[in-house]
Amino acid sequence: MKIDNSGKVAASYTAPSRTSPKESDASAKASSRADGGESVAINPFASRLQGMEQAAAAEPAFDADKVASIKAAIAAGEFKINPGAIADSLIASAQELLAR
Protein backbone atom coordinates (compact mmCIF):
# COMPACT_ATOMS: atom_id res chain seq x y z
CA MET A 1 0.00 0.00 0.00
CA LYS A 2 1.38 3.40 -0.97
CA ILE A 3 0.51 6.54 0.96
CA ASP A 4 0.94 9.74 -0.96
CA ASN A 5 -0.39 13.00 0.43
CA SER A 6 2.34 15.29 -0.85
CA GLY A 7 -0.09 17.06 -3.17
CA LYS A 8 -2.39 17.90 -0.29
CA VAL A 9 0.42 19.28 1.85
CA ALA A 10 1.83 21.44 -0.93
CA ALA A 11 -1.61 22.75 -1.85
CA SER A 12 -2.41 23.79 1.71
CA TYR A 13 0.96 25.47 2.34
CA THR A 14 1.26 29.19 1.79
CA ALA A 15 4.57 30.98 2.13
CA PRO A 16 4.75 33.61 4.88
CA SER A 17 4.46 37.16 3.63
CA ARG A 18 7.56 39.29 3.72
CA THR A 19 6.49 42.49 5.42
CA SER A 20 8.47 44.81 7.57
CA PRO A 21 8.13 44.37 11.35
CA LYS A 22 6.15 47.60 11.63
CA GLU A 23 3.65 46.41 9.03
CA SER A 24 3.29 43.00 10.65
CA ASP A 25 2.77 44.60 14.09
CA ALA A 26 0.11 46.89 12.70
CA SER A 27 -1.65 44.06 10.91
CA ALA A 28 -1.45 41.87 14.04
CA LYS A 29 -3.04 44.64 16.12
CA ALA A 30 -5.75 45.14 13.54
CA SER A 31 -6.49 41.42 13.33
CA SER A 32 -6.53 41.05 17.12
CA ARG A 33 -9.07 43.84 17.35
CA ALA A 34 -11.16 42.19 14.68
CA ASP A 35 -10.83 38.80 16.39
CA GLY A 36 -12.14 40.03 19.72
CA GLY A 37 -9.16 41.94 21.15
CA GLU A 38 -6.70 39.34 22.36
CA SER A 39 -4.27 40.42 25.05
CA VAL A 40 -0.51 39.95 25.07
CA ALA A 41 1.68 39.56 28.17
CA ILE A 42 5.22 40.90 28.11
CA ASN A 43 7.97 38.58 29.24
CA PRO A 44 9.27 39.83 32.64
CA PHE A 45 12.83 38.96 31.64
CA ALA A 46 12.62 41.30 28.65
CA SER A 47 11.71 44.25 30.87
CA ARG A 48 14.50 43.34 33.30
CA LEU A 49 16.95 43.26 30.39
CA GLN A 50 15.79 46.68 29.24
CA GLY A 51 16.36 48.03 32.75
CA MET A 52 19.86 46.59 32.83
CA GLU A 53 20.64 48.11 29.43
CA GLN A 54 19.43 51.51 30.59
CA ALA A 55 21.53 51.29 33.76
CA ALA A 56 24.60 50.30 31.74
CA ALA A 57 24.04 53.20 29.35
CA ALA A 58 23.77 55.63 32.26
CA GLU A 59 27.12 54.62 33.76
CA PRO A 60 30.40 55.42 31.99
CA ALA A 61 32.10 52.42 30.35
CA PHE A 62 35.21 52.94 32.47
CA ASP A 63 36.77 55.34 34.94
CA ALA A 64 39.24 57.36 32.88
CA ASP A 65 40.98 58.76 35.98
CA LYS A 66 41.56 55.28 37.41
CA VAL A 67 42.92 54.04 34.07
CA ALA A 68 45.30 57.01 33.91
CA SER A 69 46.58 56.40 37.44
CA ILE A 70 47.16 52.69 36.77
CA LYS A 71 48.93 53.52 33.51
CA ALA A 72 51.19 55.99 35.32
CA ALA A 73 51.95 53.43 38.06
CA ILE A 74 52.89 50.79 35.46
CA ALA A 75 55.13 53.27 33.62
CA ALA A 76 56.86 54.17 36.91
CA GLY A 77 57.24 50.51 37.88
CA GLU A 78 55.15 51.02 41.02
CA PHE A 79 52.11 48.94 40.09
CA LYS A 80 51.78 45.89 42.33
CA ILE A 81 49.89 42.80 41.22
CA ASN A 82 48.18 40.72 43.90
CA PRO A 83 47.85 37.20 42.44
CA GLY A 84 45.93 35.99 45.51
CA ALA A 85 43.20 38.59 45.01
CA ILE A 86 42.98 37.73 41.31
CA ALA A 87 42.67 34.01 42.10
CA ASP A 88 40.03 34.65 44.77
CA SER A 89 37.98 36.76 42.35
CA LEU A 90 38.19 34.10 39.63
CA ILE A 91 37.07 31.38 42.04
CA ALA A 92 34.19 33.49 43.33
CA SER A 93 33.10 34.23 39.76
CA ALA A 94 33.21 30.54 38.83
CA GLN A 95 31.23 29.59 41.94
CA GLU A 96 28.61 32.20 41.12
CA LEU A 97 28.25 30.88 37.57
CA LEU A 98 27.97 27.27 38.79
CA ALA A 99 25.33 28.19 41.38
CA ARG A 100 22.90 29.42 38.71
Side-chain angles (χ1 to χ4, degrees):
M1 173 190 284
K2 181 178 178 184
I3 299 174
D4 183 19
N5 63 355
S6 60
K8 293 177 186 176
V9 173
S12 65
Y13 177 75
T14 59
S17 64
R18 300 211 178 240
T19 59
S20 70
K22 290 180 183 177
E23 291 174 357
S24 64
D25 288 344
S27 64
K29 288 178 185 175
S31 66
S32 69
R33 288 185 201 126
D35 294 341
E38 296 177 13
S39 63
V40 176
I42 296 176
N43 184 341
F45 295 110
S47 61
R48 187 180 308 163
L49 179 62
Q50 287 175 342
M52 289 171 41
E53 288 174 345
Q54 290 172 351
E59 296 178 10
F62 65 94
D63 185 357
D65 293 335
K66 186 174 182 178
V67 171
S69 67
I70 292 172
K71 186 175 180 180
I74 291 171
E78 301 169 352
F79 186 74
K80 304 285 187 233
I81 296 174
N82 186 349
I86 295 170
D88 290 342
S89 295
L90 285 172
I91 291 170
S93 177
Q95 288 174 337
E96 181 182 330
L97 288 172
L98 292 174
R100 291 183 185 183

